Amino acid sequence: MNIWDLLKIAYKALMRNKTRAFLTTLGIVIGISSVITVVGVGQSSELSIRNEISQMGTNLIVVIRAPRRDHGVAAGRDNVQSLKMKDVELIAANAKHVSAVSPVFNTSAQIINGNYNWSGSIMGGNTELPGIRKLEIATGTNFTDEDIKKYAKVALIGHTIVEELFDEGVDPIGQTIRVGDMPVKVIGTLKEKGGNQMGEDQDNIVLMPYTTVQKRMLGIDYIHTIMMSASSEEEADEAVEEIKKQLRVSHKIKDGESDDFEVFAQAEILSMMSSVTGVITTLLTAIAAISLIVGGIGIMNIMYVTVTERTKEIGLRMSIGAHNRSIMTQFLCESVILSLIGGIFGILFGILFSYAISYIGNMPFIVSTPAILLSFVVCAVTGIFFGWYPAKKAASLDPINALRYE
């Protein structure tokens, strides 16, 4: 008896108990679809994070104030004044691997235009900040060095601010809005960027000269953050080390003492996020794969039942000359068919679920080809592994005892 005949017999045997076959394959469907969904969504999340970070520039470097420590416990950065304007000037003048640098101030305020009122994020920087942060000007112009010197009350506003404060068709350029209690003239608008993966609106921003935010709004003499661009992504690590050395000397930090600042490279953050995403995806995939084992046990259980139910049939086939190998192959075929059918539907549902989650989460849709190919292999192996023992049991039955079985 050739393999084709065995497959036809196996198929007819499975179709006699359609409901049982369906329930048996359900475990495999759930397992395979879970694995493909988790892998696909994990890769989509990683790509989405990479794209988002890349939008800010993979050569971006950020210097922030180190948190205060009370008896070794971090107590926040709110009142830390470790970064000064002289640090920005030092980096701009001496850092060979830095192409642009800006002090950055962040706060929030109510923004008002007539009867319209909106809460937005305020960011202060110099003329180089839009280029460092990859903020493109849609209309109007950027503020100037003269505006910075005069603490000018001018601003560039994001797409969300435009939509919330101005009627459709109204040109915001030249209009005066209130940022907190301060009247500010709109000199430009920024191109739309949309939300990030944390759900934050990147267009809900008012960009102003840093002196205006620092002196007129916050009334402080220190700096919140320093942002800069390395000359290239390849030079980012060298730039980080260079900046650390210069700031340690400027802040008179001795060997063995902790820095009162922290330096991060965007490429380092990207690598860390990719690593974290990869670990989470691997753990979730391992958990999802457990359902495959459960599905395989289900197949083994049903095959045991099938062998018991068809004991008399097995004895009859043996009595008319069927070889043990043929009996064993037949039951293995049934087990593999169950597993592969579950695998095919699992792959289809996995792709569908991945697409749905990617669509809802506004992430790129990725189908993992290696995961699909591996799923086919796993299905075949599962069918053979969990079907082998029941098939061996069927092939080892004594024909005479099998014919007498009731």
Side-chain angles (χ1 to χ4, degrees):
M1 185 178 292
N2 58 39
I3 189 66
W4 181 246
D5 292 329
L6 290 171
L7 288 173
K8 286 195 292 185
I9 294 171
Y11 175 76
K12 289 178 181 178
L14 292 174
M15 288 301 99
R16 284 200 296 266
N17 294 283
K18 295 179 182 179
T19 303
R20 187 167 69 185
F22 167 74
L23 294 175
T24 304
T25 59
L26 194 58
I28 301 296
V29 172
I30 294 172
I32 293 296
S33 61
S34 299
V35 169
I36 291 177
T37 301
V38 168
V39 173
V41 172
Q43 292 180 344
S44 296
S45 300
E46 183 176 345
L47 180 59
S48 184
I49 291 170
R50 294 182 69 89
N51 290 340
E52 185 173 311
I53 293 177
S54 296
Q55 285 180 3
M56 296 179 64
T58 52
N59 59 338
L60 177 67
I61 298 173
V62 179
V63 181
I64 62 175
R65 299 163 291 162
R68 288 186 300 107
R69 293 190 175 276
D70 292 336
H71 305 290
V73 179
R77 298 183 173 87
D78 291 345
N79 297 317
V80 177
Q81 303 181 16
S82 55
L83 295 180
K84 302 286 186 176
M85 194 59 203
K86 67 177 184 178
D87 295 321
V88 178
E89 295 167 353
L90 176 70
I91 294 170
N94 300 308
K96 298 177 182 178
H97 301 287
V98 173
S99 60
V101 58
S102 172
V104 177
F105 296 85
N106 291 289
T107 186
S108 60
Q110 288 298 119
I111 309 165
I112 304 168
N113 178 37
N115 295 324
Y116 296 103
N117 191 315
W118 188 252
S119 179
S121 299
I122 314 300
M123 178 178 287
N126 64 17
T127 57
E128 294 182 319
L129 183 59
I132 295 172
R133 281 291 311 273
K134 305 298 181 185
L135 299 171
E136 299 182 47
I137 298 175
T139 60
T141 60
N142 192 12
F143 48 79
T144 64
D145 290 330
E146 190 66 22
D147 292 327
I148 293 173
K149 290 178 183 178
K150 294 180 177 180
Y151 310 168
K153 301 174 185 178
V154 295
L156 292 88
I157 58 177
H159 183 72
T160 299
I161 305 296
V162 174
E163 287 191 328
E164 296 296 335
L165 296 188
F166 296 93
D167 293 325
E168 187 175 353
V170 175
D171 186 1
I173 305 300
Q175 302 282 343
T176 297
I177 60 176
R178 295 191 69 83
V179 178
D181 296 326
M182 181 174 63
V184 175
K185 181 180 178 180
V186 178
I187 61 172
T189 62
L190 300 170
K191 286 188 178 179
E192 186 175 1
K193 296 191 73 172
N196 60 21
Q197 290 301 306
M198 302 299 293
E200 298 173 345
D201 185 358
Q202 299 181 89
D203 300 312
N204 188 26
I205 182 174
V206 176
L207 184 61
M208 303 169 68
Y210 75 86
T211 51
T212 307
V213 180
Q214 181 187 29
K215 303 297 183 182
R216 293 186 183 274
M217 296 187 68
L218 299 175
I220 58 177
D221 62 355
Y222 58 92
I223 293 173
H224 285 168
T225 308
I226 302 173
M227 287 188 180
M228 63 208 80
S229 294
S231 301
S232 66
E233 185 178 346
E234 292 73 22
E235 296 181 56
D237 291 338
E238 295 177 50
V240 168
E241 294 304 316
E242 184 179 41
I243 292 163
K244 285 181 179 178
K245 289 178 182 178
Q246 291 177 356
L247 290 180
R248 283 184 65 86
V249 172
S250 174
H251 292 195
K252 299 178 181 179
I253 299 173
K254 298 177 182 178
D255 291 341
E257 293 182 347
S258 299
D259 294 339
D260 57 2
F261 60 87
E262 295 176 356
V263 185
F264 300 96
Q266 195 78 321
E268 180 184 345
I269 298 173
L270 179 61
S271 176
M272 181 180 68
M273 292 298 293
S274 296
S275 177
V276 171
T277 305
V279 170
I280 292 174
T281 301
T282 301
L283 289 175
L284 291 176
T285 302
I287 293 171
I290 293 174
S291 59
L292 277 176
I293 299 175
V294 176
I297 293 172
I299 288 177
M300 178 184 283
N301 185 42
I302 292 302
M303 293 310 298
Y304 267 122
V305 173
T306 302
V307 170
T308 302
E309 289 178 344
R310 295 161 59 188
T311 299
K312 200 163 188 176
E313 174 194 330
I314 295 168
L316 181 61
R317 291 188 59 201
M318 285 181 169
S319 66
I320 60 176
H323 296 291
N324 289 359
R325 181 179 296 178
S326 297
I327 300 296
M328 185 172 182
T329 305
Q330 176 189 338
F331 282 90
L332 269 179
C333 284
E334 291 183 24
S335 176
V336 172
I337 288 173
L338 282 172
S339 187
L340 288 179
I341 289 175
I344 291 170
F345 280 99
I347 290 169
L348 293 176
F349 281 117
I351 294 173
L352 180 63
F353 293 151
S354 295
Y355 176 79
I357 294 173
S358 298
Y359 179 79
I360 294 170
N362 194 27
M363 298 183 295
F365 172 55
I366 297 177
V367 177
S368 177
T369 303
I372 291 176
L373 295 176
L374 182 61
S375 296
F376 273 114
V377 175
V378 168
C379 288
V381 171
T382 300
I384 294 171
F385 181 80
F386 287 99
W388 176 81
Y389 193 77
K392 185 175 182 295
K393 179 184 176 183
S396 62
L397 288 174
D398 181 88
I400 296 174
N401 292 332
L403 285 171
R404 291 176 179 173
Y405 182 81
E406 293 294 338

